[in-house]
Amino acid sequence: MNMQNVIVLGAAYGGSRAAHLLAQGLGKGFRVIMIDRNSHANHLYVIPRLGVLPGHEHKAFIPLRGVFHPTPASSASDPPTTPAHPHLALQASVIALTPHSVTIDREFPELGLAREIPYKYAIYALGSCLPSPINLWSKEENGIVAQPDNEKLEDVKDVENAKEVAKEYGGTKQEGIEWLKRCQERIRRAGSVLVVGGGALGIQFATDIASLYPEKHVTLLHSRHRLLPRFDYDMHCEILKALEELRIDMILGERLDLESTRPEAMKFNEHGQRVVRTLNGREVAADILLLCTGQVPNTGLIKEMAPDSVDPDTKLAYVLPTMQLGVIPPVSEEELAADFENLLLDDAESMSMLDDEEEMEEPEEPLPETPFPHIFVIGDSADAFGAIKAGHTAYWQAEVAARNVIRLANYDAEMEANSDAAIKPKCQAEAQFETPQIAEPELEVSDSQAESHVGWKDESFTHEKKGPELERYKPGMPAIKVSLGIDRKSVYQIRGVIGRKETVDADDLDAGSAWGFWGMQDVKEENMYA
């Protein structure tokens, strides 16, 4: 039996969840193919910590073979065996996407796969291009503008020699471990660190470095006056208190002038520290610079296939509430004015209804048509109705997308079965009997009656097919947990509640517990090196 492919692009938090649910819920006629350029899943939430703290690097890279079928602890370190299911996890880079095929950078002849792979459904979960300090594929290794050796300061005429250039990265676990160790060593050698960006990543890097190396001078530069502005003000206050306790210098409300970070603008002070400046003209000196900003959605493949589906400003892919890829609708000035007026009316109505005990739910609007009903986009690549960019967001969007793919597949199978059942008896009857050429009486006959009577006109192929009812994604309240240093309690905001954890986080942030998410059950640390 020829199986139809369901492609999942990306094996992180959203892609892996979608692939797992699809493998469990689709029928035998489908094969799920998950494609990622990394050999192992990268547990991104622990990479900042493990790029500072030595000894736990191997825990951040998790085998993918448990995604389709959970792997017991006893076989976690064993070499891969031939699976009992047809689903595949491929290490490859995607170089092209069309509405019905995906092209990768290598063939898999042992699996019967060429570079171009056709598909029936696809879930796009390629996330975003990460800031350099946690982007293992970045050309500028660790996102660090490194200080040259002091004895070579007089030879800084060739600025390229002052940069540490990363070798070509291939996405293997061993390469990832080595990458983290180099990051640890650079931070260990530095006497001062400038962290740019007051989001969760910048806060974690600054507090981890300051808590592990209290003798280092750590500065956090943030373009806004408030940290984590999408969350409540109390979160800002809690984090500010932790930064002050760790003696981290803070420069808030000033934006880094990126021109001062370019190789041709490289400048050093008398201590050999790199000097950069803000747009206000303030100069800041440090041995290394961590740029924790500039996250960009990975939607280039979608833009090449469907330019009208990607916002030119945000680079986000337009999706329907079902997480299906859509086309950005044109908006006129009149519609913008009407939307603004409706927004004002909604605000007035909400203020007048504060005392109502029951919350009125608005009826769901009909879904707009899309030329890509079989393609879904989740995670950081999707313009998902204001949802924050986070792993747990991608996880829940993956659940909606996967269930909708299963609904579509089941509906198509049912329609095909009904079609075959309707055609077969009709053809048999026409072969045995000749229909008399007489005028038929005009009687009202339902579709179900027409299908069961050979002599009547079959209307089952002419009425409009509405398709299955698909699930709609609704973003929840913003939620986050932020690490505030090694051996220190983290701060969180969940469902509007802000607090500190009761216990101190483990040094490795419980990195091993995430292995179960990718199907590697109860793996002991000695088995985490594979």
Side-chain angles (χ1 to χ4, degrees):
M1 177 179 63
N2 291 328
M3 287 185 293
Q4 299 186 88
N5 296 323
V6 179
I7 300 293
V8 178
L9 302 182
Y13 306 102
S16 290
R17 182 58 178 168
H20 174 78
L21 293 176
L22 291 170
Q24 299 295 317
L26 289 172
K28 294 182 179 179
F30 291 95
R31 172 176 61 179
V32 180
I33 303 178
M34 182 175 65
I35 304 173
D36 195 281
R37 61 181 176 175
N38 296 298
S39 63
H40 291 60
N42 291 0
H43 185 17
L44 292 176
Y45 285 113
V46 301
I47 283 180
R49 170 67 57 88
L50 305 189
V52 176
L53 180 69
H56 305 278
E57 308 81 26
H58 53 286
K59 302 175 186 177
F61 307 100
I62 306 169
L64 294 172
R65 64 179 181 271
V67 169
F68 299 121
H69 185 72
T71 301
S74 59
S75 61
S77 60
D78 295 341
T81 57
T82 303
H85 56 75
H87 313 298
L88 302 172
L90 306 180
Q91 184 190 4
S93 293
V94 181
I95 59 178
L97 178 69
T98 75
H100 298 289
S101 70
V102 61
T103 302
I104 55 180
D105 64 347
R106 54 178 294 204
E107 297 178 345
F108 291 85
E110 71 279 12
L111 302 173
L113 293 176
R115 291 178 59 193
E116 184 175 3
I117 304 173
Y119 66 83
K120 180 71 178 293
Y121 305 102
I123 295 181
Y124 191 100
L126 291 180
S128 57
C129 180
L130 299 169
S132 294
I134 59 170
N135 183 358
L136 281 71
W137 292 83
S138 174
K139 297 299 182 183
E140 187 173 351
E141 179 149 303
N142 307 132
I144 294 173
V145 179
Q147 156 195 0
D149 295 334
N150 286 335
E151 60 268 28
K152 296 180 182 178
L153 279 177
E154 64 275 11
D155 299 326
V156 186
K157 294 179 181 178
D158 183 3
V159 296
E160 289 302 320
N161 290 336
K163 288 185 63 179
E164 298 187 27
V165 182
K167 66 178 183 180
E168 193 70 24
Y169 186 75
T172 67
K173 176 162 186 164
Q174 190 56 43
E175 287 174 310
I177 290 174
E178 293 171 358
W179 189 95
L180 287 174
K181 288 181 177 179
R182 289 194 297 272
C183 184
Q184 297 162 5
E185 180 59 19
R186 290 190 180 95
I187 291 173
R188 186 192 66 79
R189 292 199 324 254
S192 57
V193 181
L194 172 61
V195 180
V196 180
L201 176 61
I203 292 166
Q204 180 169 347
F205 261 124
T207 55
D208 282 357
I209 294 170
S211 57
L212 184 63
Y213 301 108
E215 73 282 2
K216 296 188 188 301
H217 182 203
V218 180
T219 302
L220 178 65
L221 172 65
H222 186 48
S223 60
R224 303 190 184 190
H225 292 280
R226 179 171 158 185
L227 304 167
L228 299 182
R230 286 205 60 179
F231 295 87
D232 289 351
Y233 182 72
D234 287 345
M235 280 286 286
H236 164 80
C237 296
E238 285 287 337
I239 295 168
L240 207 62
K241 186 190 307 180
L243 296 173
E244 291 171 347
E245 291 171 355
L246 289 168
R247 299 190 197 178
I248 295 171
D249 286 345
M250 286 168 282
I251 304 174
L252 303 181
E254 294 193 39
R255 186 179 299 275
L256 178 67
D257 184 355
L258 292 177
E259 291 297 323
S260 68
T261 68
R262 301 189 186 282
E264 59 271 17
M266 191 172 288
K267 177 182 177 182
F268 298 92
N269 63 14
E270 66 275 13
H271 304 293
Q273 296 174 313
R274 180 71 187 274
V275 179
V276 294
R277 66 177 179 275
T278 68
L279 292 176
N280 292 1
R282 182 201 296 253
E283 289 192 338
V284 186
D287 292 325
I288 56 176
L289 170 67
L290 299 179
L291 290 172
C292 299
T293 59
Q295 193 164 317
V296 180
N298 276 329
T299 52
L301 295 169
I302 297 177
K303 184 178 179 180
E304 291 178 5
M305 177 187 71
D308 293 336
S309 295
V310 177
D311 188 291
D313 297 322
T314 66
K315 304 297 188 294
L316 292 169
Y318 178 80
V319 295
L320 310 187
T322 54
M323 303 310 296
Q324 291 164 300
L325 178 65
V327 175
I328 300 174
V331 180
S332 64
E333 293 185 5
E334 291 78 8
E335 289 174 315
L336 286 174
D339 288 342
F340 182 70
E341 184 177 351
N342 290 334
L343 181 62
L344 294 177
L345 290 173
D346 290 343
D347 288 343
E349 290 177 3
S350 63
M351 291 297 293
S352 66
M353 296 172 61
L354 287 177
D355 296 332
D356 291 353
E357 294 183 1
E358 295 185 2
E359 183 179 352
M360 297 178 62
E361 293 188 4
E362 295 183 2
E364 291 183 336
E365 296 182 359
L367 294 173
E369 293 185 358
T370 172
F372 311 108
H374 59 302
I375 300 176
F376 295 75
V377 184
I378 63 174
D380 287 4
S381 294
D383 189 359
F385 320 104
I388 64 171
K389 308 303 179 187
H392 64 267
T393 301
Y395 177 96
W396 294 117
Q397 292 172 0
E399 294 220 335
V400 173
R403 287 194 288 264
N404 283 339
V405 168
I406 293 169
R407 286 186 177 93
L408 288 173
N410 290 340
Y411 177 80
D412 288 346
E414 182 180 351
M415 293 297 295
E416 185 176 348
N418 291 341
S419 174
D420 292 342
I423 292 174
K424 186 174 181 180
K426 180 177 180 179
C427 293
Q428 291 175 344
E430 289 178 346
Q432 296 177 20
F433 303 100
E434 182 178 350
T435 305
Q437 301 298 316
I438 57 176
E440 296 178 354
E442 294 187 5
L443 300 176
E444 293 186 2
V445 182
S446 66
D447 288 342
S448 59
Q449 290 173 321
E451 291 175 7
S452 61
H453 288 75
V454 174
W456 302 110
K457 179 181 178 182
D458 188 352
E459 297 179 352
S460 62
F461 301 102
T462 59
H463 68 275
E464 182 181 357
K465 298 179 182 179
K466 295 181 180 179
E469 187 72 23
L470 298 182
E471 183 178 346
R472 301 189 183 205
Y473 170 74
K474 295 180 180 179
M477 296 179 66
I480 195 172
K481 187 188 85 168
V482 182
S483 167
L484 297 177
I486 299 169
D487 291 329
R488 298 175 63 86
K489 295 180 180 179
S490 57
V491 63
Y492 64 84
Q493 178 174 330
I494 300 176
R495 296 186 179 90
V497 177
I498 298 169
R500 290 279 192 105
K501 283 190 65 177
E502 293 294 329
T503 57
V504 173
D505 289 326
D507 285 354
D508 66 351
L509 297 177
D510 291 317
S513 64
W515 282 53
F517 174 80
W518 279 275
M520 307 300 291
Q521 306 291 339
D522 302 320
V523 181
K524 296 181 179 179
E525 183 174 348
E526 58 264 29
N527 295 326
M528 291 185 179
Y529 290 88

